[in-house]
Amino acid sequence: MSLIKHIAFSLLLLAAAQNQQVQVQREYQLKAAFLFNFCQFVNWPADAFTSGEAPLVIGVLGPNPFGSYLEETVSGEKISGRPVEIRYFKEPDEVGDCHLLFIGGNNAKESSEGIAATKGKNILTISDQPNFLKQDGMIRFMNQQNKIRFEINVEAARSAGLEISSKLLRLADIYTNPKTDRNVPKGHSN
Amino acid sequence: MFLKDIPIKQKLQRVIVLIWSLVLVVTCVGFLGYEIYVYRSETLEKMSVVGGMISSNSTASLTFDNREDATEILSALANEPHIVQAALYDANNNLFAIYPQTAGKNTFPSKASAVKYHYVNGHFQGMQPVMLEKKQIGMLFLKFDINALYLRLGVFGIVVLLVTALSWWLAFLLSKNLQQVISTPILALAGAARAVTEKRDYSTRATKYGNDELGYLTDSFNKMLAEAGEFAHQLEEKVRERTLQLQTLNNELESFSYSVSHDLRAPLRAVNGYATMLKEDYGDRIDAEGNRYMDSIIEDAGRMGTLIDDLLAFSRIGRKEVVLQEVDMKTLVSMCLQEMNQDASLARYRIVVSDNLPDCQGDHALLKQVWMNVIGNAVKYSSKRDHPEIYIDYVDDPAEYVYKISDNGVGFDMKYVHKLFGVFQRLHSDQEFEGTGIGLALVHRIVSKHRGRTWAEAVVGKGATIYFSIPKNNLSHEYS
């Protein structure tokens, strides 16, 4: 293998990796928009905010896959008259007053700890982790046919005092807890 | 005006029905306008309600870029049959989802732009924004079928037609009865007026139906009628009175002139007799001058006798009753001519009598006197002609038999025509033509007794025409 071939192959690999990187970036740009959009279709109880003008806080726990997209998405936006704020947490016990929490990483243990940290608070939990809803998480992103879809655990949201708009539920797959098989509204089935 | 010559009943009825129809038409047009207005605003409201629902439901689909869901939301419009097309546009105004899916994408506006709802080719269409959190995240396009309006207007039209027909019929029936309130008193008045004018019955009274203006009119009419009746009665009385007076006077006058004439004749006969005897017995002993005086006495006494005889004949006619019978005028005329020919030869006269001289109903003897006088007149006044001509003819007339006698004699000045038929009125001197002035007066008197007329035409030096007429159906009249 000549040096030139070796360099060319390396360049090709680099380009492919670059492409992969671009796709991932594009995905999280969309997911950042989704996080913001979720806020518009979820109702928090009034006591979840300290005042009428208090900001709505979007938190990210663990590694941040969004880069600066979240800040770009929410900049200048208001939801029900509230400004939107982004906060980043490294450890579950750092999770403070936030309204929506994205739990990064693909680790079931981490997500389970994250969920535990939001117990008793009016926090909407979101993650990419496949078993997230089983762990009482509320919204899980899925990639289907090159499209970003989401699954919602309505029970978990309700027990956290959150109201998810039926319009949002229309677009989502509804997760039904096998233990408490109850008649929850049936959503989109693909 | 088209109502001018029709009976008042129909006039009233037509006026009522006409006004009613007009009211109906105006009302219907008003309601139609209102119906269209209501439909328009209802449609607008419906579209804004439906549009609002669709917009609100599709916010999530638009924000999460879910076309399938947006399409499904739009497909719910199948329950609104009047909405024929709908489409959602995204935040960049690009077509996002359509309804119905069978419609081609090019049948929708390619880009969204806010347009209020308006009419386009039998459709109602427009765009409204889809809002989320006070932000426009897309547009909704709706197209509404207007056929429903036509259907609704069609139903409305049928209802209007039925209502119109029904109420028109009701108006017709009602007006037929209601018009009587006005027309009955008027017709009663008209009937009374006709009875008065046709029968001259002033005792007729119009019935009064109410105390309105027509009632007042009826009262006035009746009052007028009473006054007119009273007046007519008085007039009749007066006429009867005057006629009686005139008749008495006339009778007195006639008996006076008769007795005068009669009484005059005796001394006149004595004068004539003695003068004649004087001339016969002593004529040779009286000189020529004396004989001439006696001749004058005899001649003038003779003339006076003729005058008295004529006068007696004239006054006798006034007292004589007319005996009507069918008179063959042609035979009568030839009889007269024959008689006159015995007195004096008429050989040099050219006398033409019409073959078709009509018969009439009259007194034979009196009519003979008429003919004798008028023919004698013509003979006398044409006697100085070299070729005297007399024509006896008639004039066609529907009501009368008109006879005319023309001659080519001396004629007379039409200025004096009014004197022609007067007693002792002469248009020529005794020296020119002998006569007493009784002849035509007699003719006039006899014709008048037959209820006929006499008149004349003439040109001085060219001749004269005398006319007299006897009415047709003369037998039906009574004569005194």
Side-chain angles (χ1 to χ4, degrees), chain B residues 354-366:
Chain B
S354 166
D355 276 342
N356 301 320
L357 214 58
D359 296 348
C360 71
Q361 296 86 42
D363 187 303
H364 192 272
L366 290 176

Side-chain angles (χ1 to χ4, degrees), chain A residues 28 31 35 101-107 111 115 125-130 132-133 135 137-142 151:
Chain A
Y28 279 93
K31 281 179 179 171
L35 286 191
L101 183 68
F102 180 82
I103 302 171
N106 227 339
N107 190 317
S111 60
I115 290 164
T125 53
I126 303 165
S127 176
D128 289 327
Q129 210 269 106
F132 187 60
L133 301 190
Q135 299 169 338
M138 296 171 198
I139 301 180
R140 176 177 83 87
F141 284 122
M142 316 178 276
E151 197 179 9

Side-chain angles (χ1 to χ4, degrees), chain A residues 77 80 167-168 170-171, chain B residues 56 63-64 69 132-133 135:
Chain A
E77 298 283 356
S80 306
K167 295 175 203 168
L168 187 63
R170 283 179 58 91
L171 306 180
Chain B
S56 159
T63 40
F64 292 101
D69 190 58
L132 179 67
E133 293 286 343
K135 252 174 68 188

Side-chain angles (χ1 to χ4, degrees), chain B residues 49 55 96 159 194 215 253 361 399 461:
Chain B
V49 168
S55 304
F96 186 71
V159 169
R194 198 178 309 116
L253 201 66
Q361 296 86 42

Side-chain angles (χ1 to χ4, degrees), chain A residues 87-135:
Chain A
R87 281 188 206 160
Y88 298 97
F89 312 108
K90 280 211 171 70
E91 298 298 329
D93 49 359
E94 287 177 25
V95 172
D97 289 333
C98 68
H99 303 95
L100 184 148
L101 183 68
F102 180 82
I103 302 171
N106 227 339
N107 190 317
K109 188 178 164 269
E110 277 175 21
S111 60
S112 173
E113 281 171 9
I115 290 164
T118 63
K119 276 280 175 251
K121 296 178 179 168
N122 309 115
I123 297 176
L124 184 73
T125 53
I126 303 165
S127 176
D128 289 327
Q129 210 269 106
N131 287 325
F132 187 60
L133 301 190
K134 241 182 246 171
Q135 299 169 338

Side-chain angles (χ1 to χ4, degrees), chain B residues 286-298:
Chain B
I286 299 169
D287 61 6
E289 186 74 0
N291 267 308
R292 205 171 56 83
Y293 290 161
M294 278 193 291
D295 285 344
S296 282
I297 291 169
I298 292 164

Side-chain angles (χ1 to χ4, degrees), chain B residues 120-140:
Chain B
V120 183
N121 298 333
H123 291 96
F124 213 31
Q125 66 178 52
M127 298 226 192
Q128 63 187 77
V130 180
M131 305 295 286
L132 179 67
E133 293 286 343
K134 293 175 188 163
K135 252 174 68 188
Q136 186 184 328
I137 58 167
M139 282 280 219
L140 174 68

